[in-house]
């Protein structure tokens, strides 16, 4: 038995040697136009290859599916990794970054808020109270002072729109379909987001910052704002937040402020007239939005604060669903675009509001 085991081991080594020799002979006898590209360090594996929705295979399959009338099974198989729960497909990773950038261009609030990407509800721990230090004499009991904490949850609300494209443009390879859908998606969803982030009531949509900000100043009038009240609002915000403070209001509020004059009939405030220079009020920039409330009884026409404390939570994966039949009578194809997002002011004291009487 020992001799038989030794013979088997010897034969196994000989077979392995013969197999290696055959592999080498096959490579050496291959045509010189086929280079040997095997990398002994990683066994031929490309560690930098993109996978999932970032791969070229998925990206190509996604846009072929968008343009084709009938889609081959090979393409459908490539799209399996990006199937969403409603029969659509998640956009390729690189294109999703394009969409996010386009949304930031259309929706100014994304550029001043804090944006995160989540796979589910995100619970954010918040310090609601801070401990303090105190003087103590020797051999006396130390005073305890602890932090107090709370928790805010960012969920997800669904926003959707349908972009229609004529069949002639869809199947025209010269037409830049990717850019067109990105621009339309950004214009529609960006406008919807901006309204929600500013004045949303939290019912079926994010909670807007105008509805979350603390009242720093109440105006004496219901129809007019004075610069004294603007300065009061500025200093109602703690200095830690003022250094990054930004004003947000409606264009009609800006117009009212520009019309305020001194006793000599001179305008008190002149916005910037230089190109690429933002308007400043008390040396802090101003952003305007048509969704900000106008001046009126009980309204909040202007807010000032550090909006990095407003968090926007994007659910990972925006999806497209091709609607090939519903618009066929007009020779059009629809693309239903969907995203899930939430927004909330996590620290209300970081933003102060001026409220009309």
């Amino acid at each position: 038995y020992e001799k038989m085991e030794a013979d088997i081991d010897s034969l196994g080594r000989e077979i392995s040697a013969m197999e290696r020799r055959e592999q080498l002979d096959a490579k050496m006898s291959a045509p010189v136009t086929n280079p040997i590209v095997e990398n002994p360090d990683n066994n031929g594996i490309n560690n930098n290859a993109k996978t999932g929705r970032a791969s070229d295979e998925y990206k190509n399959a996604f846009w072929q599916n968008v343009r084709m009338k009938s889609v081959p099974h090979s393409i459908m198989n490539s799209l399996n990794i990006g199937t969403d729960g409603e029969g659509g497909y998640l956009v390729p990773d690189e294109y999703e970054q394009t969409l996010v950038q386009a949304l930031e261009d259309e929706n100014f609030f994304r550029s001043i808020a804090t944006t995160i990407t989540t796979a589910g509800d995100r619970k954010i721990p918040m310090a609601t109270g801070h401990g303090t230090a105190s003087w103590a004499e020797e051999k006396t009991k130390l005073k305890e002072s602890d932090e107090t904490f709370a928790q805010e949850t960012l969920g997800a609300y669904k926003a959707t729109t349908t972009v229609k494209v004529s069949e002639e443009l869809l199947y025209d390879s010269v037409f830049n379909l990717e850019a067109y859908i990105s621009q339309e998606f950004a214009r529609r969803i960006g406008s919807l987001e901006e309204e929600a982030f500013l004045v949303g009531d939290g019912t079926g949509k994010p909670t807007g910052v105008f509805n979350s900000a603390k009242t720093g100043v109440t105006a004496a009038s219901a129809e007019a704002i004075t610069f004294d009240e603007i300065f009061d609002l500025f200093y109602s915000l703690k200095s830690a937040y003022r250094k990054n403070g930004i004003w947000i209001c409606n264009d009609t509020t800006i117009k009212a402020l520009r019309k305020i004059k001194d006793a000599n009939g001179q305008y008190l405030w002149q916005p910037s007239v230089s190109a690429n220079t933002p308007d400043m009020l008390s040396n802090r920039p101003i952003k305007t939005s048509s969704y900000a409330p106008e001046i009126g009884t009980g309204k909040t026409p202007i807010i000032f604060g550090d909006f990095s404390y407003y968090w926007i939570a994007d659910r990972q994966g925006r999806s497209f669903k091709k609607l090939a039949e519903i618009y066929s009578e007009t020779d059009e194809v629809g693309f239903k675009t969907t995203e899930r997002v939430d927004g909330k002011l996590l620290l209300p004291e970081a933003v102060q509001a001026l409220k009309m009487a």
Side-chain angles (χ1 to χ4, degrees):
Y1 286 123
E2 290 176 355
K3 184 177 183 304
M4 290 174 63
E5 288 178 350
D7 291 339
I8 291 173
D9 290 340
S10 177
L11 288 172
R13 288 192 295 271
E14 186 176 350
I15 291 172
S16 297
M18 292 175 64
E19 289 176 345
R20 287 196 298 271
R21 189 161 50 247
E22 289 178 356
Q23 292 175 358
L24 289 172
D25 289 340
K27 288 185 178 181
M28 296 304 294
S29 61
V32 294
T33 54
N34 295 331
I36 300 173
V37 295
E38 181 175 323
N39 184 346
D41 294 332
N42 59 10
N43 294 322
I45 299 175
N46 183 1
N47 293 323
N48 295 321
K50 296 180 179 179
T51 59
R53 292 191 295 121
S55 68
D56 290 337
E57 180 185 8
Y58 183 85
K59 181 172 64 176
N60 294 333
F62 180 87
W63 290 112
Q64 287 185 59
N65 172 55
V66 167
R67 287 187 178 273
M68 288 183 176
K69 290 184 178 181
S70 59
V71 184
H73 288 293
S74 59
I75 292 179
M76 301 301 292
N77 291 337
S78 299
L79 291 172
N80 282 339
I81 57 175
T83 303
D84 72 359
E86 298 183 354
Y89 297 103
L90 301 181
V91 299
D93 281 350
E94 292 180 0
Y95 190 68
E96 182 162 354
Q97 297 302 317
T98 301
L99 290 177
V100 172
Q101 181 61 49
L103 286 175
E104 289 178 353
D105 292 341
E106 291 291 332
N107 175 6
F108 83 89
F109 197 78
R110 276 185 172 266
S111 66
I112 62 176
T114 298
T115 302
I116 61 173
T117 302
T118 69
D121 288 356
R122 182 75 171 267
K123 294 182 178 180
I124 312 296
M126 300 294 299
T128 57
H130 300 287
T132 58
S134 61
W135 299 105
E137 296 181 1
E138 292 185 12
K139 299 181 181 180
T140 59
K141 185 177 180 180
L142 297 178
K143 295 180 180 180
E144 294 184 359
S145 181
D146 294 331
E147 300 278 305
T148 56
F149 295 92
Q151 206 173 58
E152 290 284 356
T153 300
L154 290 170
Y157 298 100
K158 184 164 71 172
T160 183
T161 185
T162 299
V163 177
K164 292 190 291 183
V165 180
S166 68
E167 289 187 354
E168 288 81 4
L169 286 178
L170 181 63
Y171 306 127
D172 184 356
S173 60
V174 178
F175 176 58
N176 192 337
L177 181 65
E178 295 91 327
Y180 174 75
I181 291 179
S182 176
Q183 292 167 0
E184 278 299 298
F185 182 85
R187 183 181 63 82
R188 301 181 190 186
I189 299 297
S191 178
L192 186 72
E193 282 187 350
E194 184 176 315
E195 181 180 14
F197 296 155
L198 292 181
V199 295
D201 58 9
T203 302
K205 61 176 73 71
T207 302
V209 67
F210 275 88
N211 293 328
S212 304
K214 289 189 173 182
T215 300
V217 174
T218 300
S221 169
E223 301 297 335
I225 301 173
T226 67
F227 268 107
D228 285 346
E229 291 164 345
I230 292 294
F231 297 142
D232 288 341
L233 178 61
F234 181 84
Y235 288 103
S236 70
L237 190 69
K238 293 181 179 180
S239 60
Y241 306 122
R242 283 203 303 267
K243 61 184 180 181
N244 295 319
I246 295 174
W247 307 87
I248 298 180
C249 61
N250 197 297
D251 279 334
T252 58
T253 303
I254 292 290
K255 182 173 68 174
L257 293 176
R258 290 191 64 177
K259 289 182 177 181
I260 299 176
K261 300 178 182 180
D262 61 16
N264 297 320
Q266 299 296 319
Y267 292 108
L268 292 176
W269 175 55
Q270 289 288 349
S272 172
V273 293
S274 301
N276 301 321
T277 302
D279 291 343
M280 306 287 280
L281 183 59
S282 291
N283 292 321
R284 298 308 308 159
I286 299 176
K287 301 288 187 180
T288 61
S289 171
S290 60
Y291 299 112
E294 297 185 4
I295 296 174
T297 303
K299 297 292 186 64
T300 303
I302 187 167
I303 55 178
F304 176 64
D306 184 347
F307 297 98
S308 65
Y309 290 95
Y310 188 97
W311 281 36
I312 298 170
D314 288 320
R315 283 293 176 89
Q316 192 170 15
R318 291 173 172 83
S319 66
F320 282 4
K321 185 177 182 180
K322 184 177 179 180
L323 308 175
E325 303 297 334
I326 191 171
Y327 304 112
S328 60
E329 290 186 357
T330 56
D331 290 331
E332 292 177 304
V333 177
F335 298 97
K336 179 182 177 183
T337 57
T338 302
E339 74 163 16
R340 300 177 69 200
V341 64
D342 193 10
K344 189 176 294 184
L345 181 61
L346 299 184
L347 196 62
E349 71 173 23
V351 181
Q352 298 289 308
L354 184 147
K355 187 174 182 180
M356 306 305 294

